């Protein structure tokens, strides 16, 4: 009887310990929301492929954390901050979502990060670019993961000025992201000895860029900086080609353009463009192996937004595991402290303002005759060390300290 009692006591203790461990994850599940544009101008930029990247990260982590399942939920914010904030509020209050990621479109990301700050929830932005996310509107629970306007300005802007592209005219999307990208690139162009001769703003998802391009052409600029993204950039490049602008010697700088948009545009129209990304599938055996898995699931190669989302989910789950809890405060603390080492970022680090710093790359789009396969589109021109690409926390305007 004494032996039986000891066995029953041991089993009881084990069950209690297991139950207590699982309860460290609230609600018996860790839930991550991917909120982005799935049907509009940025659908190829991130979209449903980012959702798949998040699911791959969960699968690669084993599908569970702290003994409970990890669930990915997703929604289309339609590039509207009010819609995004409404979805985020419902996710937090009703569906018990623990963190929200991706957040394409800067105005959306700022709105959701602001709401999340009030509710003490973690956001990890991979799709939006404005440095305000880690600047004047930073949050102790907000992280900016894949790229930002400063890194794009240092990469693409710097390269063109140093190669004779010293007179810039900006074609700018008329919202927070466009303003930030124009401002950051303008400062960098001027710091390198270049000048800005003009700028014009266009609405999101415009269909006709002819008047804007003609203004740029008549300005005397030798570089037209596309301070926009997605289909806006692609359509402007197509119309520039129709007008013969590049044949006249004017260069097009795609300040935010990724592999997804180059593929959609085609090498014939995109050839010669310079752009900055944080990841390319053909850079290493590790990248090629991951890209093949991604291709098998989505039918496309990943860009830095998809990979950034994979990395953000992966790092979040690592932080939850290490914290022994999905509570916001300890997880956010670890996200600031833990190095980032995965297929996306090597030797990455998170600054006190939430900016993840890692190396960026300057690429040029290949000519059709240079491409050896369907997705063989880039040649690497330069590696931009993370400490050069990203703004120092002390210079960001962020008042948050950890």
């Amino acid at each position: 009887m004494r032996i039986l009692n000891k066995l029953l006591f041991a089993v009881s203790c084990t069950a209690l310990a297991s139950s207590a461990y699982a309860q460290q994850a609230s609600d018996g599940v860790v839930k991550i929301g991917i909120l982005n544009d799935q049907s509009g101008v940025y659908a190829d930029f991130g979209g449903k492929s980012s959702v798949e990247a998040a699911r791959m990260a969960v699968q690669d982590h084993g599908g569970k954390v702290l003994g409970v399942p990890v669930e990915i939920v997703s929604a289309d914010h339609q590039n509207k901050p009010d819609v995004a904030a409404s979805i985020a509020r419902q996710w937090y209050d009703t569906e018990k979502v623990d963190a929200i990621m991706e957040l394409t479109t800067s105005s959306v990301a700022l709105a959701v990060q602001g709401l999340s700050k009030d509710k003490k929830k973690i956001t990890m932005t991979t799709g939006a670019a404005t440095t305000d996310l880690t600047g004047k509107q930073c949050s102790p629970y907000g992280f900016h993961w894949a790229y930002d306007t400063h890194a794009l300005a240092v990469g693409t802007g710097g390269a063109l000025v140093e190669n004779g592209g010293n007179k810039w005219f900006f074609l700018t999307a008329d919202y927070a992201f466009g303003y930030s990208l124009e401002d950051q690139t303008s400062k960098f162009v001027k710091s390198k000895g270049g000048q800005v001769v003009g700028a014009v703003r266009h609405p999101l998802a415009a269909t006709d860029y002819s008047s804007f391009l003609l203004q740029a052409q008549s300005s005397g600029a030798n570089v037209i900086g596309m301070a926009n993204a997605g289909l806006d950039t692609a359509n402007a490049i197509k119309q520039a080609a129709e007008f013969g602008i590049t044949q006249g010697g004017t260069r097009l700088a795609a300040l935010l353009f990724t592999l997804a948009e180059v593929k959609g545009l085609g090498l014939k129209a995109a050839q010669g463009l310079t752009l900055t990304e944080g990841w390319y599938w053909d850079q290493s055996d590790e990248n090629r192996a991951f890209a093949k898995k991604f291709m098998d699931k989505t039918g496309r190669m990943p860009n830095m937004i998809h990979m950034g989302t994979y990395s953000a989910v992966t790092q979040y789950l690592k932080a939850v595991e290490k914290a022994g809890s999905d509570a916001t405060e300890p997880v956010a603390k670890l996200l600031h402290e833990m190095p980032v080492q995965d297929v996306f970022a090597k030797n990455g680090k998170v600054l006190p303002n939430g900016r993840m710093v890692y190396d960026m790359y300057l690429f040029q789009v290949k000519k059709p005759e240079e491409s050896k396969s369907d997705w063989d589109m880039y040649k690497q021109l330069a590696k931009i060390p993370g400490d050069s690409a990203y703004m120092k926390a002390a210079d960001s305007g962020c008042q948050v300290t950890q």
Side-chain angles (χ1 to χ4, degrees):
M1 180 64 71
R2 187 176 299 173
I3 294 173
L4 178 61
N5 287 338
K6 286 183 178 180
L7 285 172
L8 289 171
F9 179 75
V11 170
S12 175
C13 288
T14 301
L16 287 170
S18 176
S19 174
Y21 181 62
Q23 287 172 3
Q24 296 304 304
S26 59
D27 311 305
V29 62
V30 172
K31 194 176 288 190
I32 299 169
I34 305 299
L35 185 56
N36 62 7
D37 176 5
Q38 298 181 13
S39 59
V41 67
Y42 300 134
D44 283 343
F45 182 74
K48 293 180 181 179
S49 294
S50 283
V51 179
E52 188 58 48
R55 290 182 179 137
M56 289 177 68
V58 172
Q59 291 167 4
D60 289 348
H61 195 78
K64 291 185 177 182
V65 66
L66 302 181
V68 302
V70 180
E71 182 180 346
I72 298 294
V73 297
S74 69
D76 185 348
H77 59 49
Q78 304 170 47
N79 294 309
K80 297 176 181 178
D82 57 336
V83 171
S86 177
I87 293 169
R89 188 174 288 107
Q90 179 182 337
W91 276 358
Y92 289 146
D93 295 346
T94 304
E95 300 184 34
K96 307 302 180 184
V97 167
D98 297 293
I100 296 177
M101 303 183 192
E102 223 270 38
L103 296 170
T104 305
T105 310
S106 292
S107 54
V108 162
L110 290 168
V112 174
Q113 181 171 283
L115 171 69
S116 302
K117 180 180 179 180
D118 292 341
K119 290 184 173 290
K120 295 188 176 181
K121 294 285 189 176
I122 288 170
T123 56
M124 299 180 74
T125 299
T126 60
T130 179
T131 53
D132 284 351
L133 286 162
T134 51
K136 61 185 179 182
Q137 296 190 50
C138 66
S139 162
Y141 317 116
F143 300 86
H144 203 175
W145 217 253
Y147 71 104
D148 64 23
T149 51
H150 188 274
L152 299 176
V154 171
T156 308
L160 286 179
V161 173
E162 290 170 1
N163 286 276
N166 57 0
K167 294 179 69 176
W168 284 64
F169 186 100
F170 287 94
L171 184 60
T172 303
D174 192 12
Y175 71 104
F177 153 71
Y179 312 150
S180 181
L181 186 51
E182 178 188 328
D183 180 62
Q184 292 286 341
T185 308
S186 295
K187 289 177 180 177
F188 200 76
V189 166
K190 291 173 183 176
S191 74
K192 292 287 186 177
Q195 58 180 310
V196 176
V197 298
V200 65
R201 291 175 176 174
H202 68 79
L204 180 67
T207 56
D208 185 3
Y209 299 85
S210 57
S211 64
F212 308 130
L213 290 166
L214 290 173
Q215 287 183 58
Q217 190 175 32
S218 64
S219 70
N222 56 19
V223 176
I224 299 176
M226 306 284 188
N228 47 23
L231 288 177
D232 283 331
T233 307
N235 289 332
I237 291 170
K238 285 179 184 176
Q239 291 188 20
E242 291 170 5
F243 293 156
I245 288 177
T246 55
Q247 287 89 329
T250 304
R251 305 187 212 185
L252 299 180
L255 296 173
L256 177 51
F257 215 51
T258 74
L259 191 68
E261 289 78 48
V262 173
K263 176 64 174 176
L265 189 57
L267 291 181
K268 184 176 180 180
Q271 61 182 305
L273 283 174
T274 54
L275 52 87
T276 300
E277 281 212 61
W279 193 90
Y280 180 53
W281 70 270
D282 203 21
Q283 287 177 298
S284 69
D285 288 342
E286 182 185 23
N287 288 16
R288 284 185 283 272
F290 184 92
K292 183 180 184 304
K293 289 197 302 179
F294 191 87
M295 169 69 83
D296 290 342
K297 290 180 178 291
T298 65
R300 64 175 60 205
M301 291 294 188
N303 62 15
M304 68 175 168
I305 313 306
H306 308 137
M307 294 305 304
T309 303
Y310 176 90
S311 175
V313 172
T314 298
Q315 193 75 354
Y316 176 78
L317 294 177
K318 287 179 181 178
V320 170
E321 194 88 62
K322 189 171 183 178
S325 168
D326 62 357
T328 295
E329 296 287 354
V331 173
K333 184 175 186 296
L334 283 168
L335 285 171
H336 278 95
E337 296 173 352
M338 291 166 51
V340 184
Q341 189 74 23
D342 55 34
V343 66
F344 175 64
K346 305 302 180 191
N347 303 312
K349 61 183 178 182
V350 177
L351 302 181
N353 62 350
R355 174 65 255 176
M356 197 274 279
V357 172
Y358 72 112
D359 296 336
M360 300 291 285
Y361 301 91
L362 181 70
F363 297 107
Q364 185 173 52
V365 177
K366 289 183 174 182
K367 297 176 183 178
E369 60 269 24
E370 294 175 321
S371 178
K372 298 177 181 177
S373 64
D374 194 31
W375 288 86
D376 178 24
M377 296 182 174
Y378 289 173
K379 49 187 175 184
Q380 184 175 317
L381 301 181
K383 177 179 176 179
I384 307 158
D387 288 336
S388 299
Y390 292 101
M391 193 183 303
K392 292 178 173 59
D395 299 329
S396 68
C398 175
Q399 300 302 312
V400 171
T401 57
Q402 284 293 120

